[in-house]
Amino acid sequence: MNAWPLIWSHGDGAVESLGGMLGPVHFRLPDGTTAQPFAVFPWADEPLPAAQQAVTGLMSRGRGEWPCVPFGVGPGGSELGWQHPIHGDAAHGLWQRIDGAPDDASMRLRFDCGPEGPVDSLERHLSGVPGEPQIDCELIVRVRRRCELPIGLHPTLRLPTRLGALQLDPGTFQFGRTYPHEVEPGADIVAPGHGFSELSAVPRHSGGTVDLRRFPLGERTESLLQLCGVEGRVSATYVDEGFRFVVAWDPAQLPSCLLWVSNGGRGAWPWSGRHRALGIEPICSTFDLGVRASTQPSEISARGVRTAVALDPQSPLVIRYRLGVEPIARAEA
């Protein structure tokens, strides 16, 4: 596995060949301080316990942000005749750098997919924006045959220590849906299969509502929510650290955003109740339920929000988006 530096005027970080994952990244703020918003799996650099089954691929070193093609779980569906791990082979395999490494301010990576599926290859272009604490990203998807697939991006943020010290602003959205079943049985505070219109009042499993605008929460949970018909800009403010993280994309391509609220809810190893992160994931998908679910009618698609992308071998899909930070006034202690 390789790790390549990404260094420009207003930040420095790393991109790993495993999954093409970006992170951590230290963005440089105007006052000279740095802001590092990305999460890293807490076991990523731990020696594996001899008694435990080895974790591999994405699960071994998950961090920061990476592309997901197809988005979600396998199988690919009998009509496609192929199976894939969660979020696709490219999230678990080794990418190659194809730009000859001319400088550290930008890079181009490629992942060649196996022969059994419809996806031929993915390219990932990352460029630090001169003079700004921002990274321009581009994902190019090439397929072998016409197909429809769920596609997504996977920015994952670390949570601060103080309760409520990360404030989420999802922008406008048409409607929200909770996951159709408990994400982690017995450890999901959100009521499954419900609709909502505001993150401040998401249906709670035990009755009433829960406010999912501030993290970390004071109670353990593992929850998934889909915001549908989004504006294509979501921000998360680290109120004690003086910065706001922003991800911006074209909602015509990825019309939903999946929120992964991982607040110590998974007890099995290697999670061990210690994983705390917030996934802000632009998607064209039905949650993370995979190809079959995303290409069939659903409560989401019935309301006019697409859940799969039509792909054509004659016209590669190009998705452009931006990740970065902006300074804010620090909250008083």
Side-chain angles (χ1 to χ4, degrees):
M1 189 194 73
N2 294 315
W4 300 289
L6 181 67
I7 304 171
W8 76 105
S9 63
H10 279 62
D12 62 87
V15 180
E16 297 203 346
S17 57
L18 177 62
M21 292 183 287
L22 168 67
V25 177
H26 296 87
F27 296 92
R28 198 159 296 119
L29 298 173
D31 65 359
T33 62
T34 59
Q36 200 302 101
F38 290 124
V40 177
F41 284 176
W43 58 87
D45 296 309
E46 292 179 352
L48 292 173
Q52 298 287 2
Q53 182 179 356
V55 292
T56 60
L58 169 63
M59 281 300 300
S60 67
R61 291 186 59 80
R63 64 194 54 228
E65 182 270 334
W66 65 93
C68 304
V69 183
F71 188 85
V73 296
S78 59
E79 72 282 2
L80 296 176
W82 115 101
Q83 304 223 0
H84 61 85
I86 186 168
H87 297 325
D89 291 325
H92 299 261
L94 297 178
W95 293 59
Q96 303 296 318
R97 191 161 181 180
I98 59 173
D99 57 6
D103 65 69
D104 291 332
S106 64
M107 66 182 67
R108 296 173 61 222
L109 310 177
R110 180 182 172 99
F111 183 85
D112 291 311
C113 300
E116 66 279 7
V119 184
D120 178 71
S121 65
L122 306 179
E123 283 191 26
R124 180 156 160 80
H125 305 168
L126 303 170
S127 301
V129 178
E132 298 183 47
Q134 310 284 334
I135 300 173
D136 278 337
C137 311
E138 184 177 86
L139 174 65
I140 302 175
V141 181
R142 294 183 173 90
V143 295
R144 300 184 176 101
R145 56 184 181 271
R146 289 179 181 240
C147 59
E148 288 189 322
L149 296 177
I151 290 177
L153 313 170
H154 209 300
T156 307
L157 305 186
R158 64 174 178 84
L159 297 185
T161 302
R162 185 172 70 83
L163 296 181
L166 181 69
Q167 297 184 359
L168 178 65
D169 181 356
T172 60
F173 58 96
Q174 293 176 29
F175 62 95
R177 296 290 303 174
T178 65
Y179 206 56
H181 52 79
E182 286 185 281
V183 176
E184 188 75 7
D188 188 347
I189 64 172
V190 170
H194 281 64
F196 60 92
S197 58
E198 299 289 341
L199 276 180
S200 59
V202 176
R204 180 186 281 273
H205 196 282
S206 58
T209 62
V210 58
D211 188 341
L212 293 180
R213 295 175 298 172
R214 296 176 176 83
F215 304 92
L217 303 171
E219 53 192 320
R220 293 181 181 271
T221 191
E222 198 75 20
S223 305
L224 287 170
L225 308 95
Q226 184 159 335
L227 309 181
C228 307
V230 295
E231 68 173 79
R233 185 185 191 275
V234 176
S235 67
T237 300
Y238 290 78
V239 297
D240 297 337
E241 301 176 53
F243 74 93
R244 177 182 295 114
F245 171 84
V246 179
V247 52
W249 71 96
D250 182 357
Q253 293 181 312
L254 305 175
S256 292
C257 182
L258 190 69
L259 298 179
W260 173 30
V261 180
S262 186
N263 206 73
R266 285 183 170 152
W269 185 86
W271 307 89
S272 304
R274 57 184 170 155
H275 184 257
R276 288 173 171 81
L278 175 65
I280 301 175
E281 307 167 25
I283 61 171
C284 185
S285 181
T286 300
F287 292 96
D288 64 349
L289 297 175
V291 175
R292 194 171 287 156
S294 296
T295 53
Q296 293 179 349
S298 67
E299 292 180 339
I300 295 171
S301 62
R303 297 182 64 176
V305 176
R306 289 183 301 107
T307 56
V309 180
L311 298 165
D312 187 325
Q314 302 302 315
S315 181
L317 173 69
V318 180
I319 297 174
R320 296 183 178 90
Y321 57 105
R322 177 172 280 199
L323 308 166
V325 303
E326 53 193 38
I328 62 160
R330 292 176 186 267
E332 295 191 13

